[in-house]
Amino acid sequence: MKKLLAFALVATLGISAQAQNKNAKHDLHVKGNCEQCKERIEKAAYGVKGVKVATWDVDSHNLHIVLNETKSNVDAVENAIVAVGHDTNAKRADDKVYANLHSCCLYERDEEEGEHVTETSPKKEEDHSNHQH
């Protein structure tokens, strides 16, 4: 009886381990404006255990990630991104963190959480001569 129970337990663990993808691909809409934003967003995503690829496109605001779901999840990636001041479709960065971004990185924010526009808005022309991108 103990052998049967042990076998059932091992089989169940094996099935649940397979349900998590080690190379899961996800795309997130992340607000930002420039190459400095790109660097910050990608660095935040790579800071999450299990993120293998993180590429943010300045024009489309699309963050493409490849994630080992046995180590982490998309929610953790979004939390890391909002922690550095960038809104996603599902989460909004803290106002104080957003306000501390460089002036060229201050993207247009929506009024309420969860109502993020997915269309790219026209970029503001900013003076980038006082810092590197």
Side-chain angles (χ1 to χ4, degrees), residues 26-66:
H26 298 278
D27 290 302
L28 303 170
H29 183 82
V30 180
K31 290 198 168 194
N33 290 332
C34 62
E35 291 296 320
Q36 189 174 359
C37 295
K38 176 180 174 65
E39 185 178 316
R40 184 182 311 105
I41 291 165
E42 290 176 357
K43 182 178 179 182
Y46 277 120
V48 176
K49 187 175 183 175
V51 172
K52 297 177 179 181
V53 174
T55 308
W56 185 73
D57 182 73
V58 175
D59 296 323
S60 69
H61 299 166
N62 182 63
L63 174 66
H64 176 74
I65 59 171
V66 176

mmCIF file of all heavy atoms in Angstrom, residues 26-66:
data_model
loop_
_atom_site.group_PDB
_atom_site.id
_atom_site.type_symbol
_atom_site.label_atom_id
_atom_site.label_comp_id
_atom_site.label_asym_id
_atom_site.label_seq_id
_atom_site.Cartn_x
_atom_site.Cartn_y
_atom_site.Cartn_z
ATOM 1 N N HIS A 26 6.027 35.490 -23.134
ATOM 2 C CA HIS A 26 4.969 36.424 -22.767
ATOM 3 C C HIS A 26 5.299 37.794 -23.352
ATOM 4 O O HIS A 26 6.464 38.167 -23.470
ATOM 5 C CB HIS A 26 4.854 36.559 -21.246
ATOM 6 C CG HIS A 26 4.496 35.297 -20.556
ATOM 7 N ND1 HIS A 26 3.200 34.840 -20.462
ATOM 8 C CD2 HIS A 26 5.265 34.374 -19.934
ATOM 9 C CE1 HIS A 26 3.187 33.699 -19.801
ATOM 10 N NE2 HIS A 26 4.428 33.399 -19.471
ATOM 11 N N ASP A 27 4.270 38.542 -23.691
ATOM 12 C CA ASP A 27 4.416 39.916 -24.141
ATOM 13 C C ASP A 27 3.596 40.810 -23.224
ATOM 14 O O ASP A 27 2.430 40.523 -22.966
ATOM 15 C CB ASP A 27 3.961 40.073 -25.594
ATOM 16 C CG ASP A 27 4.917 39.397 -26.561
ATOM 17 O OD1 ASP A 27 6.100 39.747 -26.567
ATOM 18 O OD2 ASP A 27 4.463 38.510 -27.307
ATOM 19 N N LEU A 28 4.216 41.867 -22.750
ATOM 20 C CA LEU A 28 3.564 42.823 -21.853
ATOM 21 C C LEU A 28 3.667 44.216 -22.451
ATOM 22 O O LEU A 28 4.676 44.560 -23.059
ATOM 23 C CB LEU A 28 4.260 42.837 -20.489
ATOM 24 C CG LEU A 28 4.366 41.528 -19.734
ATOM 25 C CD1 LEU A 28 5.285 41.686 -18.540
ATOM 26 C CD2 LEU A 28 2.989 41.092 -19.283
ATOM 27 N N HIS A 29 2.627 45.014 -22.251
ATOM 28 C CA HIS A 29 2.680 46.415 -22.647
ATOM 29 C C HIS A 29 3.236 47.199 -21.462
ATOM 30 O O HIS A 29 2.658 47.170 -20.380
ATOM 31 C CB HIS A 29 1.279 46.923 -23.017
ATOM 32 C CG HIS A 29 1.286 48.325 -23.492
ATOM 33 N ND1 HIS A 29 1.601 48.669 -24.782
ATOM 34 C CD2 HIS A 29 1.045 49.484 -22.837
ATOM 35 C CE1 HIS A 29 1.540 49.977 -24.906
ATOM 36 N NE2 HIS A 29 1.207 50.501 -23.732
ATOM 37 N N VAL A 30 4.374 47.855 -21.672
ATOM 38 C CA VAL A 30 5.035 48.609 -20.612
ATOM 39 C C VAL A 30 5.277 50.025 -21.115
ATOM 40 O O VAL A 30 5.892 50.229 -22.160
ATOM 41 C CB VAL A 30 6.379 47.959 -20.211
ATOM 42 C CG1 VAL A 30 7.058 48.762 -19.111
ATOM 43 C CG2 VAL A 30 6.180 46.520 -19.781
ATOM 44 N N LYS A 31 4.802 51.001 -20.357
ATOM 45 C CA LYS A 31 4.944 52.393 -20.771
ATOM 46 C C LYS A 31 6.354 52.917 -20.518
ATOM 47 O O LYS A 31 6.971 52.598 -19.506
ATOM 48 C CB LYS A 31 3.931 53.253 -20.044
ATOM 49 C CG LYS A 31 2.532 52.987 -20.518
ATOM 50 C CD LYS A 31 1.628 54.098 -20.128
ATOM 51 C CE LYS A 31 0.327 53.918 -20.886
ATOM 52 N NZ LYS A 31 -0.488 55.094 -20.845
ATOM 53 N N GLY A 32 6.816 53.729 -21.466
ATOM 54 C CA GLY A 32 8.118 54.361 -21.396
ATOM 55 C C GLY A 32 8.320 55.186 -22.643
ATOM 56 O O GLY A 32 7.471 55.185 -23.539
ATOM 57 N N ASN A 33 9.449 55.888 -22.726
ATOM 58 C CA ASN A 33 9.670 56.795 -23.854
ATOM 59 C C ASN A 33 10.967 56.607 -24.621
ATOM 60 O O ASN A 33 11.013 56.907 -25.799
ATOM 61 C CB ASN A 33 9.651 58.259 -23.368
ATOM 62 C CG ASN A 33 8.282 58.713 -22.963
ATOM 63 O OD1 ASN A 33 7.276 58.236 -23.460
ATOM 64 N ND2 ASN A 33 8.237 59.650 -22.039
ATOM 65 N N CYS A 34 12.034 56.182 -23.952
ATOM 66 C CA CYS A 34 13.347 56.323 -24.586
ATOM 67 C C CYS A 34 14.261 55.125 -24.284
ATOM 68 O O CYS A 34 13.864 54.167 -23.640
ATOM 69 C CB CYS A 34 14.000 57.611 -24.107
ATOM 70 S SG CYS A 34 14.302 57.640 -22.314
ATOM 71 N N GLU A 35 15.489 55.243 -24.743
ATOM 72 C CA GLU A 35 16.486 54.193 -24.531
ATOM 73 C C GLU A 35 16.834 54.043 -23.045
ATOM 74 O O GLU A 35 17.143 52.947 -22.595
ATOM 75 C CB GLU A 35 17.746 54.475 -25.345
ATOM 76 C CG GLU A 35 17.555 54.334 -26.847
ATOM 77 C CD GLU A 35 17.209 52.908 -27.267
ATOM 78 O OE1 GLU A 35 17.791 51.948 -26.718
ATOM 79 O OE2 GLU A 35 16.347 52.762 -28.151
ATOM 80 N N GLN A 36 16.763 55.130 -22.294
ATOM 81 C CA GLN A 36 17.010 55.051 -20.859
ATOM 82 C C GLN A 36 15.904 54.208 -20.201
ATOM 83 O O GLN A 36 16.176 53.397 -19.316
ATOM 84 C CB GLN A 36 17.047 56.461 -20.266
ATOM 85 C CG GLN A 36 17.499 56.506 -18.833
ATOM 86 C CD GLN A 36 17.654 57.951 -18.337
ATOM 87 O OE1 GLN A 36 17.448 58.914 -19.063
ATOM 88 N NE2 GLN A 36 18.023 58.075 -17.082
ATOM 89 N N CYS A 37 14.671 54.385 -20.652
ATOM 90 C CA CYS A 37 13.552 53.564 -20.162
ATOM 91 C C CYS A 37 13.788 52.099 -20.523
ATOM 92 O O CYS A 37 13.578 51.210 -19.702
ATOM 93 C CB CYS A 37 12.225 54.026 -20.772
ATOM 94 S SG CYS A 37 11.706 55.681 -20.300
ATOM 95 N N LYS A 38 14.212 51.873 -21.765
ATOM 96 C CA LYS A 38 14.472 50.505 -22.240
ATOM 97 C C LYS A 38 15.466 49.802 -21.317
ATOM 98 O O LYS A 38 15.228 48.681 -20.884
ATOM 99 C CB LYS A 38 15.012 50.548 -23.676
ATOM 100 C CG LYS A 38 15.410 49.193 -24.249
ATOM 101 C CD LYS A 38 15.926 49.354 -25.669
ATOM 102 C CE LYS A 38 16.476 48.077 -26.240
ATOM 103 N NZ LYS A 38 15.514 47.014 -26.427
ATOM 104 N N GLU A 39 16.552 50.489 -21.013
ATOM 105 C CA GLU A 39 17.579 49.907 -20.151
ATOM 106 C C GLU A 39 17.007 49.583 -18.761
ATOM 107 O O GLU A 39 17.236 48.515 -18.207
ATOM 108 C CB GLU A 39 18.744 50.884 -20.027
ATOM 109 C CG GLU A 39 19.911 50.345 -19.256
ATOM 110 C CD GLU A 39 21.061 51.338 -19.214
ATOM 111 O OE1 GLU A 39 21.375 51.937 -20.255
ATOM 112 O OE2 GLU A 39 21.633 51.512 -18.127
ATOM 113 N N ARG A 40 16.234 50.503 -18.206
ATOM 114 C CA ARG A 40 15.667 50.332 -16.866
ATOM 115 C C ARG A 40 14.648 49.183 -16.840
ATOM 116 O O ARG A 40 14.646 48.360 -15.930
ATOM 117 C CB ARG A 40 14.997 51.635 -16.418
ATOM 118 C CG ARG A 40 14.455 51.617 -15.014
ATOM 119 C CD ARG A 40 13.746 52.923 -14.642
ATOM 120 N NE ARG A 40 14.516 54.125 -14.945
ATOM 121 C CZ ARG A 40 14.264 54.947 -15.974
ATOM 122 N NH1 ARG A 40 13.232 54.719 -16.758
ATOM 123 N NH2 ARG A 40 15.017 55.997 -16.184
ATOM 124 N N ILE A 41 13.785 49.120 -17.845
ATOM 125 C CA ILE A 41 12.743 48.090 -17.916
ATOM 126 C C ILE A 41 13.372 46.707 -18.075
ATOM 127 O O ILE A 41 13.013 45.758 -17.377
ATOM 128 C CB ILE A 41 11.761 48.386 -19.067
ATOM 129 C CG1 ILE A 41 10.939 49.643 -18.733
ATOM 130 C CG2 ILE A 41 10.862 47.192 -19.358
ATOM 131 C CD1 ILE A 41 10.199 50.236 -19.926
ATOM 132 N N GLU A 42 14.311 46.583 -19.004
ATOM 133 C CA GLU A 42 14.956 45.289 -19.237
ATOM 134 C C GLU A 42 15.757 44.843 -18.016
ATOM 135 O O GLU A 42 15.742 43.663 -17.648
ATOM 136 C CB GLU A 42 15.834 45.349 -20.490
ATOM 137 C CG GLU A 42 15.007 45.464 -21.760
ATOM 138 C CD GLU A 42 15.836 45.629 -23.028
ATOM 139 O OE1 GLU A 42 17.086 45.715 -22.938
ATOM 140 O OE2 GLU A 42 15.226 45.671 -24.113
ATOM 141 N N LYS A 43 16.447 45.779 -17.370
ATOM 142 C CA LYS A 43 17.219 45.442 -16.174
ATOM 143 C C LYS A 43 16.301 44.942 -15.064
ATOM 144 O O LYS A 43 16.611 43.956 -14.377
ATOM 145 C CB LYS A 43 18.007 46.665 -15.693
ATOM 146 C CG LYS A 43 18.876 46.399 -14.494
ATOM 147 C CD LYS A 43 19.672 47.632 -14.100
ATOM 148 C CE LYS A 43 20.523 47.346 -12.880
ATOM 149 N NZ LYS A 43 21.274 48.547 -12.463
ATOM 150 N N ALA A 44 15.144 45.585 -14.899
ATOM 151 C CA ALA A 44 14.178 45.155 -13.882
ATOM 152 C C ALA A 44 13.663 43.755 -14.190
ATOM 153 O O ALA A 44 13.555 42.908 -13.294
ATOM 154 C CB ALA A 44 13.013 46.141 -13.803
ATOM 155 N N ALA A 45 13.363 43.496 -15.450
ATOM 156 C CA ALA A 45 12.863 42.173 -15.837
ATOM 157 C C ALA A 45 13.925 41.097 -15.610
ATOM 158 O O ALA A 45 13.631 40.034 -15.058
ATOM 159 C CB ALA A 45 12.415 42.182 -17.295
ATOM 160 N N TYR A 46 15.165 41.381 -16.009
ATOM 161 C CA TYR A 46 16.247 40.413 -15.808
ATOM 162 C C TYR A 46 16.541 40.184 -14.329
ATOM 163 O O TYR A 46 17.109 39.168 -13.954
ATOM 164 C CB TYR A 46 17.527 40.844 -16.522
ATOM 165 C CG TYR A 46 17.568 40.479 -17.988
ATOM 166 C CD1 TYR A 46 17.680 41.464 -18.963
ATOM 167 C CD2 TYR A 46 17.507 39.152 -18.397
ATOM 168 C CE1 TYR A 46 17.726 41.133 -20.310
ATOM 169 C CE2 TYR A 46 17.554 38.811 -19.743
ATOM 170 C CZ TYR A 46 17.656 39.807 -20.693
ATOM 171 O OH TYR A 46 17.705 39.466 -22.012
ATOM 172 N N GLY A 47 16.144 41.104 -13.484
ATOM 173 C CA GLY A 47 16.346 40.948 -12.051
ATOM 174 C C GLY A 47 15.432 39.920 -11.414
ATOM 175 O O GLY A 47 15.621 39.532 -10.267
ATOM 176 N N VAL A 48 14.448 39.459 -12.161
ATOM 177 C CA VAL A 48 13.516 38.442 -11.667
ATOM 178 C C VAL A 48 14.083 37.074 -12.000
ATOM 179 O O VAL A 48 14.431 36.787 -13.152
ATOM 180 C CB VAL A 48 12.112 38.611 -12.305
ATOM 181 C CG1 VAL A 48 11.180 37.497 -11.873
ATOM 182 C CG2 VAL A 48 11.539 39.975 -11.954
ATOM 183 N N LYS A 49 14.186 36.235 -10.979
ATOM 184 C CA LYS A 49 14.719 34.889 -11.162
ATOM 185 C C LYS A 49 13.878 34.144 -12.201
ATOM 186 O O LYS A 49 12.656 34.165 -12.153
ATOM 187 C CB LYS A 49 14.680 34.137 -9.834
ATOM 188 C CG LYS A 49 15.359 32.805 -9.869
ATOM 189 C CD LYS A 49 15.393 32.171 -8.496
ATOM 190 C CE LYS A 49 16.158 30.871 -8.549
ATOM 191 N NZ LYS A 49 16.321 30.289 -7.227
ATOM 192 N N GLY A 50 14.549 33.517 -13.155
ATOM 193 C CA GLY A 50 13.867 32.731 -14.170
ATOM 194 C C GLY A 50 13.679 33.441 -15.503
ATOM 195 O O GLY A 50 13.320 32.820 -16.492
ATOM 196 N N VAL A 51 13.923 34.763 -15.556
ATOM 197 C CA VAL A 51 13.787 35.490 -16.822
ATOM 198 C C VAL A 51 15.039 35.224 -17.651
ATOM 199 O O VAL A 51 16.157 35.510 -17.232
ATOM 200 C CB VAL A 51 13.587 37.008 -16.598
ATOM 201 C CG1 VAL A 51 13.646 37.754 -17.926
ATOM 202 C CG2 VAL A 51 12.267 37.260 -15.892
ATOM 203 N N LYS A 52 14.823 34.650 -18.832
ATOM 204 C CA LYS A 52 15.927 34.311 -19.722
ATOM 205 C C LYS A 52 16.139 35.379 -20.794
ATOM 206 O O LYS A 52 17.259 35.621 -21.224
ATOM 207 C CB LYS A 52 15.658 32.969 -20.395
ATOM 208 C CG LYS A 52 15.575 31.810 -19.427
ATOM 209 C CD LYS A 52 15.237 30.536 -20.154
ATOM 210 C CE LYS A 52 15.164 29.355 -19.207
ATOM 211 N NZ LYS A 52 14.861 28.104 -19.914
ATOM 212 N N VAL A 53 15.042 35.975 -21.266
ATOM 213 C CA VAL A 53 15.095 37.008 -22.297
ATOM 214 C C VAL A 53 14.147 38.120 -21.892
ATOM 215 O O VAL A 53 13.035 37.851 -21.439
ATOM 216 C CB VAL A 53 14.661 36.446 -23.679
ATOM 217 C CG1 VAL A 53 14.573 37.540 -24.721
ATOM 218 C CG2 VAL A 53 15.586 35.337 -24.135
ATOM 219 N N ALA A 54 14.587 39.356 -22.061
ATOM 220 C CA ALA A 54 13.737 40.524 -21.819
ATOM 221 C C ALA A 54 14.120 41.585 -22.835
ATOM 222 O O ALA A 54 15.228 42.123 -22.786
ATOM 223 C CB ALA A 54 13.912 41.048 -20.398
ATOM 224 N N THR A 55 13.226 41.873 -23.762
ATOM 225 C CA THR A 55 13.488 42.859 -24.802
ATOM 226 C C THR A 55 12.299 43.800 -24.898
ATOM 227 O O THR A 55 11.183 43.358 -25.205
ATOM 228 C CB THR A 55 13.717 42.173 -26.173
ATOM 229 O OG1 THR A 55 14.709 41.169 -26.028
ATOM 230 C CG2 THR A 55 14.151 43.175 -27.215
ATOM 231 N N TRP A 56 12.547 45.088 -24.635
ATOM 232 C CA TRP A 56 11.480 46.099 -24.710
ATOM 233 C C TRP A 56 11.685 46.952 -25.940
ATOM 234 O O TRP A 56 12.789 47.423 -26.205
ATOM 235 C CB TRP A 56 11.501 46.975 -23.457
ATOM 236 C CG TRP A 56 10.371 47.956 -23.397
ATOM 237 C CD1 TRP A 56 9.064 47.690 -23.146
ATOM 238 C CD2 TRP A 56 10.457 49.376 -23.571
ATOM 239 N NE1 TRP A 56 8.331 48.861 -23.157
ATOM 240 C CE2 TRP A 56 9.169 49.904 -23.414
ATOM 241 C CE3 TRP A 56 11.502 50.252 -23.838
ATOM 242 C CZ2 TRP A 56 8.882 51.263 -23.514
ATOM 243 C CZ3 TRP A 56 11.231 51.603 -23.945
ATOM 244 C CH2 TRP A 56 9.933 52.088 -23.782
ATOM 245 N N ASP A 57 10.612 47.154 -26.712
ATOM 246 C CA ASP A 57 10.659 47.956 -27.924
ATOM 247 C C ASP A 57 10.149 49.367 -27.622
ATOM 248 O O ASP A 57 9.018 49.527 -27.150
ATOM 249 C CB ASP A 57 9.815 47.309 -29.024
ATOM 250 C CG ASP A 57 9.875 48.083 -30.308
ATOM 251 O OD1 ASP A 57 10.927 48.041 -30.976
ATOM 252 O OD2 ASP A 57 8.869 48.765 -30.643
ATOM 253 N N VAL A 58 10.978 50.370 -27.896
ATOM 254 C CA VAL A 58 10.647 51.761 -27.591
ATOM 255 C C VAL A 58 9.395 52.215 -28.337
ATOM 256 O O VAL A 58 8.550 52.913 -27.775
ATOM 257 C CB VAL A 58 11.838 52.694 -27.939
ATOM 258 C CG1 VAL A 58 11.472 54.151 -27.747
ATOM 259 C CG2 VAL A 58 13.053 52.340 -27.107
ATOM 260 N N ASP A 59 9.242 51.824 -29.597
ATOM 261 C CA ASP A 59 8.118 52.298 -30.410
ATOM 262 C C ASP A 59 6.787 51.641 -30.057
ATOM 263 O O ASP A 59 5.769 52.314 -29.957
ATOM 264 C CB ASP A 59 8.418 52.089 -31.899
ATOM 265 C CG ASP A 59 9.607 52.928 -32.353
ATOM 266 O OD1 ASP A 59 9.754 54.073 -31.864
ATOM 267 O OD2 ASP A 59 10.392 52.445 -33.182
ATOM 268 N N SER A 60 6.793 50.338 -29.865
ATOM 269 C CA SER A 60 5.529 49.624 -29.597
ATOM 270 C C SER A 60 5.216 49.496 -28.112
ATOM 271 O O SER A 60 4.102 49.154 -27.737
ATOM 272 C CB SER A 60 5.578 48.223 -30.217
ATOM 273 O OG SER A 60 6.510 47.409 -29.524
ATOM 274 N N HIS A 61 6.208 49.739 -27.261
ATOM 275 C CA HIS A 61 6.102 49.580 -25.799
ATOM 276 C C HIS A 61 5.863 48.119 -25.413
ATOM 277 O O HIS A 61 5.355 47.837 -24.337
ATOM 278 C CB HIS A 61 5.007 50.470 -25.204
ATOM 279 C CG HIS A 61 5.251 51.921 -25.423
ATOM 280 N ND1 HIS A 61 4.278 52.850 -25.236
ATOM 281 C CD2 HIS A 61 6.354 52.608 -25.829
ATOM 282 C CE1 HIS A 61 4.762 54.057 -25.509
ATOM 283 N NE2 HIS A 61 6.021 53.925 -25.876
ATOM 284 N N ASN A 62 6.252 47.202 -26.281
ATOM 285 C CA ASN A 62 6.082 45.774 -26.029
ATOM 286 C C ASN A 62 7.331 45.211 -25.357
ATOM 287 O O ASN A 62 8.443 45.396 -25.842
ATOM 288 C CB ASN A 62 5.827 45.032 -27.342
ATOM 289 C CG ASN A 62 5.601 43.561 -27.111
ATOM 290 O OD1 ASN A 62 4.651 43.163 -26.448
ATOM 291 N ND2 ASN A 62 6.487 42.728 -27.650
ATOM 292 N N LEU A 63 7.119 44.537 -24.223
ATOM 293 C CA LEU A 63 8.201 43.823 -23.549
ATOM 294 C C LEU A 63 8.001 42.344 -23.830
ATOM 295 O O LEU A 63 6.993 41.754 -23.436
ATOM 296 C CB LEU A 63 8.192 44.071 -22.039
ATOM 297 C CG LEU A 63 9.199 43.247 -21.229
ATOM 298 C CD1 LEU A 63 10.642 43.635 -21.580
ATOM 299 C CD2 LEU A 63 8.958 43.400 -19.741
ATOM 300 N N HIS A 64 8.950 41.758 -24.533
ATOM 301 C CA HIS A 64 8.909 40.324 -24.819
ATOM 302 C C HIS A 64 9.824 39.639 -23.812
ATOM 303 O O HIS A 64 10.991 40.001 -23.678
ATOM 304 C CB HIS A 64 9.380 40.039 -26.246
ATOM 305 C CG HIS A 64 9.438 38.583 -26.554
ATOM 306 N ND1 HIS A 64 8.309 37.830 -26.775
ATOM 307 C CD2 HIS A 64 10.480 37.735 -26.645
ATOM 308 C CE1 HIS A 64 8.656 36.579 -26.998
ATOM 309 N NE2 HIS A 64 9.969 36.498 -26.928
ATOM 310 N N ILE A 65 9.263 38.667 -23.093
ATOM 311 C CA ILE A 65 10.075 37.914 -22.135
ATOM 312 C C ILE A 65 9.966 36.420 -22.401
ATOM 313 O O ILE A 65 8.947 35.939 -22.894
ATOM 314 C CB ILE A 65 9.681 38.204 -20.662
ATOM 315 C CG1 ILE A 65 8.218 37.872 -20.392
ATOM 316 C CG2 ILE A 65 10.006 39.624 -20.276
ATOM 317 C CD1 ILE A 65 7.827 37.938 -18.920
ATOM 318 N N VAL A 66 11.034 35.730 -22.089
ATOM 319 C CA VAL A 66 11.049 34.269 -22.038
ATOM 320 C C VAL A 66 11.344 33.949 -20.588
ATOM 321 O O VAL A 66 12.333 34.413 -20.022
ATOM 322 C CB VAL A 66 12.101 33.664 -22.985
ATOM 323 C CG1 VAL A 66 12.140 32.149 -22.836
ATOM 324 C CG2 VAL A 66 11.818 34.061 -24.431
#
